[in-house]
Amino acid sequence: MEQITAFINKIESEDQISSSTRKAYSSDLLKFSRYLQNNQKSRQSIQQITLKHFFRFLEHEKKLGLKPSTLHRRRVSLKKFAEFLSDRGELEKSSVQEVAGWQ
């Protein structure tokens, strides 16, 4: 997915983010991308990621029984991605806070 690739490229170039954080963000977003691709009814690529995509992925991960610490990290990664999309004008600013507040 173009948006995820652009986000990963952006964080790879940021010096203020540690190597382990970059790896975690990349890993989480690649899982998110695979989830979106595997759960598309039409199997077409998603042109616009919406808030429901974030929540469905997080609920899916929660149902898998992941540890709370892993779910928290996934949520933080998605929040950072949502901020990136918001900065590009592809997601409403209010959606960023909704992703951050997911339980």
Side-chain angles (χ1 to χ4, degrees):
M1 298 190 72
E2 174 196 328
Q3 295 132 317
I4 291 173
T5 302
F7 174 73
I8 291 172
N9 289 338
K10 179 184 180 291
I11 63 170
E12 288 293 328
S13 67
E14 293 183 2
D15 292 334
Q16 68 270 24
I17 297 176
S18 73
S19 168
S20 61
T21 299
R22 283 194 291 265
K23 287 178 185 175
Y25 286 173
S26 293
S27 173
D28 292 341
L29 270 290
L30 291 173
K31 283 179 178 42
F32 180 53
S33 177
R34 279 194 298 271
Y35 169 81
L36 293 176
Q37 291 170 352
N38 292 335
N39 291 285
Q40 279 291 97
K41 291 178 184 163
S42 65
R43 297 286 183 213
Q44 296 174 348
S45 65
I46 295 174
Q47 297 302 315
Q48 176 132 18
I49 294 173
T50 65
L51 188 58
K52 73 177 181 180
H53 295 116
F54 289 105
F55 288 147
R56 286 181 181 164
F57 173 69
L58 290 169
E59 286 298 325
H60 169 77
E61 296 289 280
K62 188 175 185 178
K63 287 178 184 175
L64 290 177
L66 297 177
K67 293 189 286 186
S69 59
T70 302
L71 290 170
H72 175 74
R73 193 192 75 225
R74 293 265 203 288
R75 187 177 74 235
V76 169
S77 297
L78 291 176
K79 177 184 175 277
K80 291 294 183 187
F81 181 54
E83 289 171 351
F84 171 78
L85 292 177
S86 177
D87 290 346
R88 288 176 41 151
E90 297 178 32
L91 189 68
E92 292 181 26
K93 291 243 183 245
S94 61
S95 296
V96 174
Q97 290 308 315
E98 289 187 55
V99 171
W102 176 86
Q103 296 295 325

